[in-house]
Each structure stands twice: as C-alpha cells, then as structure tokens.
Amino acid sequence: PQRDSHARFEFGHDLIREVLYQDLPSAARMRLHARVGQALSLRAANDVAVSSVEIAHHLLAGLPVSDVAEAIRCARTAAVEASRVGAHADASALLRRALDSLSLYPESSRQAACELLFDLARYERAAGEPFASHLERAVALAREHGHRRVLVAAGQLVCGPPGTVSVEGAGDVLETALAALPDDAYSERAMLLSHLSWTPPNNWHRDKVEGLLSQAEELSRDARPSAVRTVLRARLYYAGGPDD
C-alpha cells in the first residue's frame, strides 16, 4: 500500500513492475491496458484528477481491444494539453500512435483523418521535427474533400509571419485554400490574401503585393478583428521597408 492509503498500491521497485509487465502475453497486456484506460476514464468523469495523457496511453496500448474512436479522441485531447505546456514532442508521439490506429477504424471519416494529420504536422513543426509529409497528406485530403478549416489553417501554418522563410509550396496551399472558400468568407479570405502578399513569388513584385492587400483591405471591412489585424500587419511590414 502507498503511504497513508489502504486503497492505492504500488510496486516496491520499478524493475519488479517492468519484469512482470514484460512477462505478460501480448493479448493479456492489451486487455489490461484497455481495462485500465476505461477505469481511468470513469475516474476522470467523476472529477478525479487523472492525466489525459495517461488515459490516452492505456487506450492506445489496449488496441484493438479498446474502442478505437475513443482512443483517438483521447489522444487528440491529450496532445492539446501536452502542447499547452510546450511538450510538443510528446503531443506528436501521441498523434503518431493515433494515426497508426486509424487502420483499425475503417468507418472513420476522411475529415477526421485530415484533421489528425494536420494536427500532427503542426505539433511536429513546433517540436522541430520533420512535418512536411504529414502536412502534404492533410492538404491533399482537404483539397479532395473540400475541408475548408484545414486548408485555411494549413495556409497560415506554411506561411509564417512577414519576413520569415515560407515552407516550399506555401503559395500553392494558400491559393488552394482561397479557391475553396466562398466569396462571403470575408475574414478567412482577408487573412489568406495578406499571407499571400508576403509569400514568394508575390512578395518580389510591388504591384502584386499592392493588388493582394487592396483586396484584403476591401474584405476586412466586414471581417473579424483578427483578420483586420493580419491586414494591418502586412501593411506595416511593407511600410517599414526591407531594412526594418
């Protein structure tokens, strides 16, 4: 028993736990992980402090005994919480496991796969890990099935702030996102046009920059403050000149 408790137990040494764990047959190990994940989920539902990362770990390790959709949902929740404290590599590792488990869930929607791939690419980039292949797959799915939210977010991800080096092909992603948006998506279109103005090869030509920002400013009259802020950011960047 743990100190001051008759309801919680622990191994006297991690080595004992590891030896017993490794000695379990694979099928038994999966069943136990699934049961632990379910038990922890119930505790979390009753407002008991339980780590979402721990729940996701057990549910993923319990596949295919665990509920696949629930395991993926918990992995995405845990990844968000990990990224909030800067643990982007941990978030990426969780989502790679979730992505691998999609093969066990054939009824999953293309949109779910697209969003999972995009979130994985986002966390991999934040962790300084290779992310291009997952981003390309996310954008390809988003293009094929018209997932506007992913296309818009991908365009902003590959572009970065003014003056930074954009990801190769950023302009194509932004153009694709703009083509998928309806004319009355004022905020999204204003933001993407602003991003496009500082993305090669547009940012090498004054006339192209002016044309894109004029369109963005026109749209920003009916846009959200975040879109207006992006347009102003582009204008200030170019007003400062290349040395500022």
Side-chain angles (χ1 to χ4, degrees):
Q2 290 183 356
R3 183 177 298 177
D4 300 327
S5 174
H6 296 289
R8 295 173 179 270
F9 298 85
E10 63 186 0
F11 289 99
H13 196 285
D14 286 348
L15 180 60
I16 299 173
R17 179 184 62 190
E18 188 64 23
V19 168
L20 292 174
Y21 179 80
Q22 294 298 333
D23 198 43
L24 286 170
S26 296
R29 194 182 302 171
M30 291 175 192
R31 286 194 298 270
L32 288 170
H33 274 300
R35 287 176 60 190
V36 170
Q38 292 167 0
L40 291 176
S41 295
L42 287 173
R43 291 184 62 194
N46 291 320
D47 295 328
V48 178
V50 179
S51 165
S52 62
V53 174
E54 190 175 2
I55 296 174
H57 163 70
H58 285 293
L59 290 177
L60 290 169
L63 293 172
V65 180
S66 306
D67 181 86
V68 183
E70 179 66 11
I72 293 172
R73 187 193 66 78
C74 287
R76 294 187 68 183
T77 300
V80 170
E81 292 191 12
S83 69
R84 283 175 181 162
V85 295
H88 304 300
D90 291 341
S92 300
L94 275 168
L95 292 192
R96 277 192 288 270
R97 292 174 66 188
L99 183 63
D100 188 52
S101 69
L102 272 181
S103 59
L104 301 170
Y105 188 37
E107 63 268 28
S108 63
S109 68
R110 293 290 184 182
Q111 183 167 349
C114 180
E115 290 177 351
L116 182 57
L117 280 163
F118 175 72
D119 287 343
L120 175 55
R122 188 158 54 92
Y123 294 135
E124 285 175 333
R125 188 186 189 196
E129 301 169 345
F131 68 96
S133 63
H134 290 136
L135 183 62
E136 286 173 6
R137 289 169 61 189
V139 170
L141 276 174
R143 280 174 173 166
E144 183 181 354
H145 299 282
H147 300 319
R148 285 168 43 187
R149 189 195 71 81
V150 172
L151 283 171
V152 171
Q156 293 172 308
L157 177 69
V158 297
C159 183
T164 59
V165 178
S166 300
V167 173
E168 185 177 355
D172 292 338
V173 175
L174 289 165
E175 294 278 10
T176 301
L178 280 166
L181 290 171
D183 292 339
D184 60 354
Y186 303 118
S187 296
E188 290 87 350
R189 294 184 71 84
M191 283 193 289
L192 292 180
L193 285 165
S194 299
H195 280 77
L196 202 56
S197 75
W198 67 68
T199 303
N202 300 306
N203 62 335
W204 302 335
H205 304 279
R206 179 181 297 177
D207 292 342
K208 286 186 178 181
V209 168
E210 183 57 37
L212 290 166
L213 289 184
S214 294
Q215 292 180 62
E217 284 175 335
E218 183 69 25
L219 291 167
S220 68
R221 295 175 183 176
D222 300 302
R224 295 189 300 269
S226 58
V228 177
R229 185 169 61 246
T230 305
V231 177
L232 289 173
R233 186 180 193 182
R235 278 296 187 194
L236 287 169
Y237 168 67
Y238 284 110
D243 295 327
D244 190 356

